[in-house]
Amino acid sequence: MSIRTDLAIESAELYWETAETQDIPGVSCEEDGDEEIRITRVEVLNEEGEKIIGKKPGRYVTIEMPSLLESESSVQQKASRFLSQELSGMMESTKLTLVAGLGNSEITPDSLGPKVIPRLVVTRHLLSHLPQTVEHLAPVCALAPGVLGITGIETGEIIKGVAERVKPDLVIVVDALASRKTERVSTTIQIADTGISPGSGVGNKRKTINAETVGVPVIAIGVPMVVDAATIANDTIDLVIDTLSRNSQGEFFDMLQNIDREEKHALIRESLPKEMSDMMVTPKDIDALSEKIAHVVANGINLALHKGISEEEIASFVS
Amino acid sequence: MSIRTDLAIESAELYWETAETQDIPGVSCEEDGDEEIRITRVEVLNEEGEKIIGKKPGRYVTIEMPSLLESESSVQQKASRFLSQELSGMMESTKLTLVAGLGNSEITPDSLGPKVIPRLVVTRHLLSHLPQTVEHLAPVCALAPGVLGITGIETGEIIKGVAERVKPDLVIVVDALASRKTERVSTTIQIADTGISPGSGVGNKRKTINAETVGVPVIAIGVPMVVDAATIANDTIDLVIDTLSRNSQGEFFDMLQNIDREEKHALIRESLPKEMSDMMVTPKDIDALSEKIAHVVANGINLALHKGISEEEIASFVS
Amino acid sequence: MSIRTDLAIESAELYWETAETQDIPGVSCEEDGDEEIRITRVEVLNEEGEKIIGKKPGRYVTIEMPSLLESESSVQQKASRFLSQELSGMMESTKLTLVAGLGNSEITPDSLGPKVIPRLVVTRHLLSHLPQTVEHLAPVCALAPGVLGITGIETGEIIKGVAERVKPDLVIVVDALASRKTERVSTTIQIADTGISPGSGVGNKRKTINAETVGVPVIAIGVPMVVDAATIANDTIDLVIDTLSRNSQGEFFDMLQNIDREEKHALIRESLPKEMSDMMVTPKDIDALSEKIAHVVANGINLALHKGISEEEIASFVS
Amino acid sequence: MSIRTDLAIESAELYWETAETQDIPGVSCEEDGDEEIRITRVEVLNEEGEKIIGKKPGRYVTIEMPSLLESESSVQQKASRFLSQELSGMMESTKLTLVAGLGNSEITPDSLGPKVIPRLVVTRHLLSHLPQTVEHLAPVCALAPGVLGITGIETGEIIKGVAERVKPDLVIVVDALASRKTERVSTTIQIADTGISPGSGVGNKRKTINAETVGVPVIAIGVPMVVDAATIANDTIDLVIDTLSRNSQGEFFDMLQNIDREEKHALIRESLPKEMSDMMVTPKDIDALSEKIAHVVANGINLALHKGISEEEIASFVS
């Protein structure tokens, strides 16, 4: 797969583009939601599915909320609740949860993780000192480990080191992702029970953080914040070819349309000047969008971890 | 010209791509600089030149410093000095200068202008109260007027309103621009004595700010901070076609190479999905780069306005 | 009055401390509100009142909401609504309003004004281009003029210059203030129809911005964000003396308690080392508090200017 | 000791205020430096010294540079070099150093630690992948662990957890401190080989981070960024009493001057309203100051760890 996507649903969509059927061998898909928010639950069932989808066996839920961009707080609240429900569906009952916010707070499209952390209702330190203030809350701790380029330490190593001391029985990692589609940027949340490779959104992939490497179950929550330049170029070429084909006949355009897709993608990657690999494609109002989506994700996690706490109460905990 | 560029030098380069000669009718070009920093002085001499280049008659100087990205402070200092010299070459002796930093401080690639303002040695308010502290300095005032979407007021109107009160005899505007080439982002400075249309870098073009609209000479200093998505797509397609052509023969690739450029650009613009117009392509480390280039530009302006002040002294004025 | 306060209510409280009656000659006072939010309307009626209170004749409304600090969004919403009502009570019907956010965005306790501006529903620029999107909204424009130390231009000059071009019939200025009491910091809003002297909160007082200097009515909205160090010192000494007096008898403590207040204040001011004048006393969580209060103030202004728009709609306008 | 200070030199000064000799039992003091920068090396030699000074046995070096505030970059460079020398004097040769930047990046006076981390030349991750780029550099990694209130995990636990995985043989911790004197804020650096209690500058003291708790030597670098309100009040009262005493005679003022200092401090602490404990006293330009001092500290560490690297080279590593 030459085009980068971190979303299982986009891998499925790529399959559907050329397949004659909606059924993907080794993969189950289920849709849910309402007119504002669409939920898709993709499960990779076995190695056959993994091979096709390019994702490890496990559950991948996407919550898509196109109108989140228009900033209605009712949509944001609903999105938090849907996230909470889907997250709860993946969690078993836990004693202590560690939430890790991955990414670089100084690079806006990579700052989702660090922005979520201070919005969480964190309680672990209050359990011994002020137990009465948190008796209706679950034990939660959090960490923004930073990025390899700044720390010199793999994010997974930091999480493992801290996890070995605080002994959580669940780790939730939050990170920015890369999408194939501009319209998904900051409007889609993916929840996966297979862990994550940090730095997918911006920069190179790093060592995977999952149950195997950390030692306890890992749930990953990711939001696409960038589209990479090669994807933009590729998609545009596809659109150009489509437009040309629709408007014309003849041998040339037949040929054009029949260019092998794989080959074309490879060609584009090769042709891109090296400066391009340091560029990211991101919405103009990414600063505001990242604040908004961080709020949605943090509240979703708060609601899932602290059962029976209202959104009003969450606000009073998180200054 | 369907592809957007704010740089006169890029307009010239586009001409040279297809022309058989380096001479552009109605335009003079001159190169200067050293192995680290290249200076190009383009002058649009008349309407013929304007028609070809797409820029108003006047002087356009570009200072290109590719290694600025590698952060050597000696290159930054040299860039500030070159900017100071070129700026001085365009300025007549002035009594009071107003520097306006255009753009949106909340959108990093559009924040150059607002970032330059607090780094200027501003003296106008000290002339009456503490004249002895600024007797060797020129009268300077500054303003970050904000953007139309936030203020509801055209940037040019704010500048004109303030200029009518403080009565400068020169206005310098600083703004982020859009380039056609990713390698120019945050490494090229353009100085023009023809004014500016704010919002070129990010967002829609606005009313021009120039000597005619403001009432006193206007010098514009611009730095490309983004490349637009259509440019990226277009350039990639060109590169793909080139690669294909080099590696193959036959009727198809001949045709491919002979697609009319203008037509192709138009096609790409039409094919781009509407979400794309809200996307920008920008370097991953834009936050750090915008700090660095703001420093270079502010120091260049400080050195040009306050003759005989050292860079060390500037640092002591600007906390 | 040696102790600095920008709040009319604190001037009144200082009077009451020593007076034998609640009646202040030339001043009327009225209380309103509920158990969460206290509203006090002070009106300085004439020169006698001005002399006692140290404030120009006019209306000064304070909205105090101590529990705002605990971050319940219902209190914030109520505060916005109360602010909207009080503001409406001072405004006559207007055609175009200009809101100016005073202060320095780079100094957190002085950043309230600049933080309010991007949260306003600004419409002036849409009236000609997209009138259908704003037909139910009032014409509003906004400006963050910056501070004298950065611009070299008095804030009042910038506002006057812009006002002469856009011709508003009302100017609302928003600024950070200084309070005498730490518990008022970021929990109290003052609305005054007498204008404002920018820089009260942090730094030196500047030229007044009011109907006389700007040419149209000026309503000032201010929120205390700092307490100055001399006030802290003075209040502590008072508290120490009180504690001593309560716990002991004898000639010494009688004397202590009878030290003339005016004299003591003067003494404290003289004794303070000069470095102290560059210090500010501010809450530890000032960054978060200033965000919260900016939100409350912006929404209050939005509701007052755009009658018949819901808070949900406001959120959808302000990205 | 009721008045809070994190600086050993201030503890010594408090002793000298009442003692008749400069010699402190169990403590050695040594002065060094030049007219711009003063270096004081305090060594607590034994338990007797610890009892008097209130600091664990070990070395405490302070670098004071009052003119750093005036922003001359030559003073900043010299300060970095002095810090490098003093730091080198405390370090034994190390294989891998872990630098931990303590504090809360969202609270400016507490953000020194997190601000230093991205300015370090971090190499650990390059040693295996790109050894040739870092062969002249020492192995360094870094971490900004966050604060207990946000993470729910003691900072010391996070450092210990990470240290157990990456196995450094030296840990350097950087943190903001509280000073007794406003003139020391952001102009004094303390280096200590006895570790640190995070949160001294802002908030409550936490578990100590030192060789004993982490398992390898710990050097602490601290810079005062706040003065607490009780200190301000206390100092002002002392100044008032001094002024009164100088200007008058009589029984009353004799008594005043003879108030027991310890008792007075206790009284002030009791009298302070509880809101005061959430206030901090900090310079108005703390945002700019914290940037500047972070730069000085980061460069000092870079020079100490990477012998034979120039400041120019450091700049090229740290974007």
Side-chain angles (χ1 to χ4, degrees):
Chain A
M1 179 109 11
S2 58
I3 290 297
R4 192 168 87 186
T5 175
D6 294 318
L7 298 175
I9 186 151
E10 294 193 339
S11 303
E13 285 169 356
L14 283 173
Y15 179 83
W16 289 327
E17 272 180 33
T18 52
E20 278 150 35
T21 162
Q22 289 289 305
D23 291 330
I24 310 176
V27 176
S28 78
C29 287
E30 183 187 303
E31 292 224 354
D32 202 344
D34 59 22
E35 70 290 345
E36 285 179 322
I37 296 184
R38 187 165 70 111
I39 294 174
T40 314
R41 297 187 195 92
V42 172
E43 185 161 1
V44 178
L45 302 164
N46 52 36
E47 279 186 28
E48 190 183 8
E50 179 180 356
K51 218 169 154 184
I52 292 168
I53 289 288
K55 302 275 166 200
K56 296 252 169 233
R59 286 173 287 174
Y60 301 86
V61 179
T62 44
I63 301 174
E64 293 172 86
M65 28 188 191
S67 62
L68 192 74
L69 295 169
E70 282 128 45
S71 196
E72 308 241 358
S73 62
S74 65
V75 177
Q76 293 177 34
Q77 282 185 357
K78 207 204 288 183
S80 289
R81 274 178 228 138
F82 278 27
L83 170 56
S84 164
Q85 282 164 25
E86 298 299 322
L87 196 52
S88 299
M90 278 194 193
M91 287 164 51
E92 284 165 50
S93 83
T94 59
K95 288 205 204 75
L96 173 65
T97 305
L98 168 63
V99 185
L102 276 47
N104 186 342
S105 60
E106 298 299 301
I107 295 180
T108 310
D110 196 29
S111 65
L112 177 68
K115 277 193 180 121
V116 164
I117 297 307
R119 292 179 162 97
L120 296 174
V121 177
V122 162
T123 55
R124 178 178 172 270
H125 58 309
L126 303 172
L127 294 171
S128 48
H129 299 305
L130 298 162
Q132 73 286 0
T133 64
V134 290
E135 61 190 353
H136 58 308
L137 301 178
V140 173
C141 57
L143 187 71
V147 293
L148 181 64
I150 300 284
T151 63
I153 314 172
E154 288 275 353
T155 307
E157 285 183 276
I158 296 177
I159 293 174
K160 192 166 173 55
V162 173
E164 276 168 0
R165 288 206 72 77
V166 304
K167 309 226 176 289
D169 36 18
L170 172 67
V171 170
I172 296 175
V173 292
V174 180
D175 200 6
L177 305 177
S179 166
R180 289 196 68 249
K181 298 195 174 169
T182 56
E183 69 264 32
R184 279 217 176 88
V185 169
S186 79
T187 64
T188 296
I189 301 171
Q190 174 174 273
I191 316 161
D193 62 4
T194 55
I196 203 165
S197 300
S200 298
V202 173
N204 297 322
K205 292 221 174 196
R206 312 255 50 109
K207 278 178 198 156
T208 300
I209 299 167
N210 59 24
E212 206 180 321
T213 60
V214 177
V216 296
V218 174
I219 296 177
I221 300 176
V223 178
M225 299 305 279
V226 293
V227 180
D228 75 351
T231 300
I232 293 281
N234 184 71
D235 288 2
T236 313
I237 291 175
D238 284 349
L239 288 162
V240 170
I241 291 173
D242 285 356
T243 311
L244 283 170
S245 311
R246 268 199 307 278
N247 300 332
S248 55
Q249 289 96 25
E251 185 191 4
F252 171 56
F253 296 108
D254 289 351
M255 286 174 68
L256 207 56
Q257 206 168 13
N258 290 323
I259 294 175
D260 182 70
R261 207 174 64 187
E262 291 289 311
E263 215 178 275
K264 190 187 56 167
H265 288 183
L267 196 65
I268 289 169
R269 286 217 166 260
E270 277 167 35
S271 309
L272 277 177
K274 73 173 177 28
E275 292 87 9
M276 205 79 105
S277 66
D278 292 327
M279 306 299 281
M280 61 187 178
V281 183
T282 199
K284 284 174 187 165
D285 52 350
I286 184 75
D287 299 74
L289 288 176
S290 64
E291 291 290 328
K292 206 171 290 177
I293 194 80
H295 186 74
V296 168
V297 170
N299 267 8
I301 297 175
N302 285 329
L303 291 169
L305 294 179
H306 304 296
K307 303 295 183 201
I309 191 178
S310 70
E311 281 148 74
E312 188 77 348
E313 265 187 280
I314 288 171
S316 76
F317 268 98
V318 186
S319 70
Chain B
M1 179 106 13
S2 58
I3 289 296
R4 192 167 89 186
T5 175
D6 294 317
L7 297 175
I9 187 155
E10 295 193 339
S11 303
E13 285 169 355
L14 282 173
Y15 179 84
W16 290 326
E17 271 181 34
T18 53
E20 279 152 32
T21 162
Q22 289 289 305
D23 292 328
I24 310 177
V27 175
S28 79
C29 286
E30 184 187 301
E31 292 226 353
D32 202 345
D34 60 21
E35 70 290 344
E36 283 178 324
I37 296 184
R38 187 164 71 110
I39 294 175
T40 314
R41 298 187 193 91
V42 172
E43 185 160 2
V44 178
L45 301 164
N46 52 37
E47 278 186 29
E48 191 184 8
E50 181 180 357
K51 218 169 154 185
I52 292 169
I53 290 289
K55 301 275 165 199
K56 296 250 170 235
R59 285 174 289 176
Y60 301 85
V61 179
T62 43
I63 301 174
E64 293 171 87
M65 28 191 188
S67 61
L68 192 73
L69 295 169
E70 282 128 45
S71 194
E72 308 241 357
S73 62
S74 65
V75 177
Q76 293 177 35
Q77 283 186 357
K78 206 204 288 183
S80 289
R81 273 178 228 139
F82 278 27
L83 171 56
S84 164
Q85 283 164 25
E86 297 300 322
L87 196 51
S88 299
M90 278 194 193
M91 288 164 49
E92 285 165 49
S93 84
T94 60
K95 289 205 203 75
L96 174 64
T97 306
L98 168 63
V99 185
L102 277 47
N104 187 341
S105 61
E106 297 299 301
I107 294 181
T108 310
D110 196 30
S111 66
L112 177 69
K115 277 194 180 121
V116 164
I117 297 307
R119 291 180 163 98
L120 296 174
V121 177
V122 163
T123 55
R124 177 179 173 271
H125 58 308
L126 303 172
L127 293 171
S128 49
H129 299 304
L130 297 162
Q132 72 287 0
T133 64
V134 290
E135 61 190 354
H136 59 307
L137 301 178
V140 174
C141 57
L143 186 71
V147 293
L148 181 64
I150 301 284
T151 63
I153 314 173
E154 287 275 353
T155 307
E157 286 182 276
I158 296 177
I159 292 174
K160 191 165 173 56
V162 173
E164 275 168 1
R165 288 206 72 77
V166 306
K167 308 227 177 288
D169 36 18
L170 173 66
V171 170
I172 296 175
V173 292
V174 180
D175 200 5
L177 305 177
S179 165
R180 289 196 69 249
K181 297 194 174 169
T182 56
E183 68 264 34
R184 279 217 176 86
V185 170
S186 79
T187 63
T188 296
I189 301 172
Q190 175 175 272
I191 316 162
D193 62 4
T194 55
I196 203 166
S197 299
S200 297
V202 174
N204 297 321
K205 292 222 173 196
R206 313 256 50 106
K207 279 179 198 154
T208 301
I209 299 168
N210 58 25
E212 205 180 320
T213 59
V214 177
V216 296
V218 175
I219 296 177
I221 300 175
V223 178
M225 299 304 280
V226 292
V227 180
D228 73 353
T231 300
I232 293 281
N234 183 72
D235 288 2
T236 313
I237 291 174
D238 284 348
L239 288 162
V240 170
I241 291 173
D242 286 356
T243 312
L244 283 171
S245 310
R246 266 200 307 279
N247 300 332
S248 54
Q249 289 97 23
E251 185 192 4
F252 170 57
F253 296 109
D254 289 349
M255 287 173 68
L256 208 56
Q257 206 168 12
N258 291 324
I259 293 175
D260 181 71
R261 208 176 59 188
E262 291 289 311
E263 212 178 278
K264 189 187 57 169
H265 289 182
L267 196 66
I268 288 169
R269 285 216 168 264
E270 277 166 39
S271 309
L272 278 177
K274 72 171 178 29
E275 293 87 9
M276 206 78 105
S277 66
D278 293 326
M279 306 298 281
M280 61 189 179
V281 183
T282 199
K284 284 174 187 164
D285 52 351
I286 185 74
D287 298 75
L289 288 176
S290 64
E291 291 290 328
K292 207 172 289 177
I293 194 81
H295 186 74
V296 168
V297 170
N299 267 8
I301 296 175
N302 285 329
L303 292 169
L305 294 179
H306 304 296
K307 304 294 185 201
I309 191 178
S310 69
E311 281 147 77
E312 187 78 348
E313 264 187 280
I314 288 172
S316 75
F317 268 98
V318 185
S319 69
Chain C
M1 178 110 9
S2 58
I3 290 295
R4 192 168 88 187
T5 175
D6 294 316
L7 297 175
I9 187 153
E10 294 192 340
S11 303
E13 286 168 355
L14 282 173
Y15 179 84
W16 290 327
E17 271 180 33
T18 53
E20 278 152 32
T21 162
Q22 289 289 304
D23 292 329
I24 310 177
V27 176
S28 79
C29 287
E30 184 186 304
E31 293 225 353
D32 203 345
D34 59 22
E35 70 291 343
E36 283 178 324
I37 296 185
R38 188 165 69 111
I39 294 175
T40 314
R41 298 187 194 92
V42 172
E43 184 160 3
V44 178
L45 301 165
N46 51 38
E47 279 186 29
E48 190 184 8
E50 180 181 355
K51 217 169 153 185
I52 292 169
I53 290 289
K55 302 276 165 199
K56 296 252 171 235
R59 286 174 288 174
Y60 301 86
V61 179
T62 43
I63 302 173
E64 293 171 87
M65 28 190 189
S67 61
L68 192 73
L69 295 168
E70 282 129 43
S71 194
E72 308 240 359
S73 62
S74 64
V75 177
Q76 294 177 34
Q77 283 185 357
K78 207 204 288 182
S80 290
R81 273 178 227 139
F82 278 27
L83 170 56
S84 164
Q85 283 164 25
E86 297 299 322
L87 196 52
S88 299
M90 279 193 192
M91 288 163 50
E92 285 165 50
S93 84
T94 61
K95 289 206 204 74
L96 174 64
T97 305
L98 169 64
V99 185
L102 276 48
N104 187 342
S105 61
E106 297 298 301
I107 295 181
T108 310
D110 196 29
S111 66
L112 177 69
K115 277 194 180 121
V116 164
I117 298 306
R119 290 180 164 98
L120 296 174
V121 178
V122 163
T123 54
R124 178 178 172 270
H125 59 308
L126 303 172
L127 293 171
S128 48
H129 300 304
L130 297 162
Q132 72 288 359
T133 63
V134 291
E135 62 190 354
H136 58 308
L137 302 177
V140 174
C141 57
L143 186 72
V147 294
L148 181 64
I150 301 284
T151 63
I153 313 173
E154 287 275 353
T155 307
E157 286 182 275
I158 296 176
I159 293 173
K160 192 167 174 55
V162 173
E164 276 167 2
R165 287 207 71 79
V166 305
K167 309 231 177 283
D169 37 18
L170 174 66
V171 170
I172 296 176
V173 293
V174 179
D175 200 6
L177 305 176
S179 166
R180 289 195 67 249
K181 297 195 175 167
T182 56
E183 67 265 33
R184 280 218 174 85
V185 170
S186 79
T187 64
T188 295
I189 301 172
Q190 175 175 272
I191 315 162
D193 61 4
T194 56
I196 202 166
S197 299
S200 296
V202 173
N204 296 322
K205 292 222 173 196
R206 314 254 51 106
K207 279 179 197 154
T208 301
I209 299 168
N210 59 24
E212 205 180 319
T213 59
V214 177
V216 297
V218 175
I219 296 177
I221 300 175
V223 179
M225 298 304 280
V226 293
V227 181
D228 74 351
T231 300
I232 293 281
N234 184 71
D235 287 2
T236 314
I237 291 174
D238 284 349
L239 288 162
V240 170
I241 291 173
D242 285 357
T243 312
L244 283 170
S245 310
R246 266 200 307 278
N247 300 332
S248 54
Q249 289 95 26
E251 185 192 2
F252 170 56
F253 296 108
D254 290 348
M255 287 173 69
L256 207 56
Q257 204 167 13
N258 291 323
I259 293 175
D260 181 72
R261 209 176 60 187
E262 292 290 309
E263 211 178 279
K264 190 188 57 171
H265 289 181
L267 196 66
I268 288 168
R269 284 216 169 263
E270 278 166 37
S271 309
L272 276 178
K274 72 169 178 29
E275 292 87 9
M276 206 79 105
S277 66
D278 292 326
M279 306 299 279
M280 61 188 177
V281 183
T282 199
K284 284 174 188 165
D285 52 350
I286 184 75
D287 299 74
L289 287 176
S290 64
E291 291 290 329
K292 207 172 290 176
I293 194 82
H295 186 74
V296 168
V297 170
N299 266 8
I301 297 174
N302 285 330
L303 291 170
L305 295 180
H306 305 296
K307 303 294 183 202
I309 191 179
S310 70
E311 281 147 76
E312 186 78 349
E313 265 186 280
I314 288 172
S316 75
F317 269 98
V318 185
S319 68
Chain D
M1 179 108 12
S2 58
I3 291 297
R4 193 169 87 186
T5 175
D6 294 317
L7 298 176
I9 186 151
E10 294 192 339
S11 303
E13 285 169 356
L14 283 173
Y15 179 84
W16 290 326
E17 271 181 33
T18 52
E20 280 151 33
T21 162
Q22 289 290 304
D23 292 330
I24 310 176
V27 176
S28 78
C29 287
E30 184 187 301
E31 292 225 353
D32 202 346
D34 59 23
E35 70 290 343
E36 285 180 321
I37 296 184
R38 188 164 69 111
I39 294 174
T40 313
R41 297 186 195 92
V42 172
E43 185 161 2
V44 178
L45 302 164
N46 51 37
E47 278 186 29
E48 190 183 7
E50 180 181 355
K51 217 169 154 184
I52 292 169
I53 290 289
K55 301 275 166 200
K56 295 255 169 230
R59 286 173 289 174
Y60 301 86
V61 179
T62 44
I63 301 173
E64 292 171 87
M65 29 192 190
S67 61
L68 192 74
L69 294 169
E70 283 127 45
S71 195
E72 308 240 359
S73 63
S74 65
V75 177
Q76 292 177 35
Q77 283 186 356
K78 205 204 288 184
S80 289
R81 274 179 227 138
F82 278 28
L83 170 55
S84 164
Q85 282 163 25
E86 298 299 322
L87 195 51
S88 298
M90 277 193 193
M91 287 163 51
E92 284 165 52
S93 82
T94 60
K95 290 207 204 73
L96 173 65
T97 305
L98 168 63
V99 185
L102 275 49
N104 187 341
S105 60
E106 298 299 300
I107 295 182
T108 310
D110 196 30
S111 65
L112 177 69
K115 277 194 178 120
V116 163
I117 297 307
R119 292 179 163 98
L120 296 175
V121 178
V122 163
T123 55
R124 178 178 172 271
H125 58 309
L126 303 172
L127 293 171
S128 49
H129 299 305
L130 298 162
Q132 71 287 1
T133 63
V134 291
E135 62 189 354
H136 58 308
L137 301 177
V140 174
C141 57
L143 186 71
V147 294
L148 180 64
I150 301 285
T151 62
I153 313 173
E154 288 276 353
T155 306
E157 285 182 275
I158 295 177
I159 293 174
K160 192 166 173 56
V162 173
E164 276 169 0
R165 288 206 72 77
V166 305
K167 309 226 176 289
D169 36 19
L170 172 67
V171 169
I172 296 176
V173 292
V174 180
D175 200 6
L177 305 177
S179 166
R180 289 197 69 249
K181 297 194 175 169
T182 57
E183 68 265 32
R184 279 217 175 87
V185 169
S186 79
T187 63
T188 295
I189 301 171
Q190 175 174 274
I191 316 160
D193 62 3
T194 55
I196 203 165
S197 300
S200 296
V202 174
N204 297 322
K205 293 222 173 195
R206 312 256 48 107
K207 277 179 199 155
T208 301
I209 299 168
N210 59 24
E212 205 180 321
T213 60
V214 177
V216 296
V218 175
I219 296 178
I221 300 176
V223 178
M225 299 304 280
V226 293
V227 180
D228 74 351
T231 300
I232 293 280
N234 183 73
D235 287 2
T236 313
I237 292 175
D238 284 348
L239 288 161
V240 170
I241 291 173
D242 285 356
T243 311
L244 284 170
S245 310
R246 268 199 307 278
N247 301 332
S248 55
Q249 289 95 24
E251 186 192 3
F252 171 56
F253 296 108
D254 290 349
M255 285 174 69
L256 207 56
Q257 205 168 12
N258 290 323
I259 294 174
D260 182 71
R261 208 174 62 188
E262 291 289 310
E263 214 177 276
K264 189 187 57 169
H265 288 182
L267 196 65
I268 288 169
R269 285 216 168 261
E270 278 167 35
S271 308
L272 278 177
K274 73 172 177 26
E275 292 86 10
M276 205 78 106
S277 66
D278 293 325
M279 306 298 280
M280 61 188 176
V281 184
T282 199
K284 284 175 187 165
D285 52 350
I286 184 76
D287 299 73
L289 287 176
S290 65
E291 291 291 328
K292 205 171 291 175
I293 194 81
H295 186 75
V296 168
V297 170
N299 266 8
I301 297 174
N302 285 329
L303 291 169
L305 294 180
H306 304 295
K307 303 296 184 200
I309 190 177
S310 69
E311 281 147 75
E312 188 77 350
E313 264 186 282
I314 288 171
S316 75
F317 268 98
V318 186
S319 69

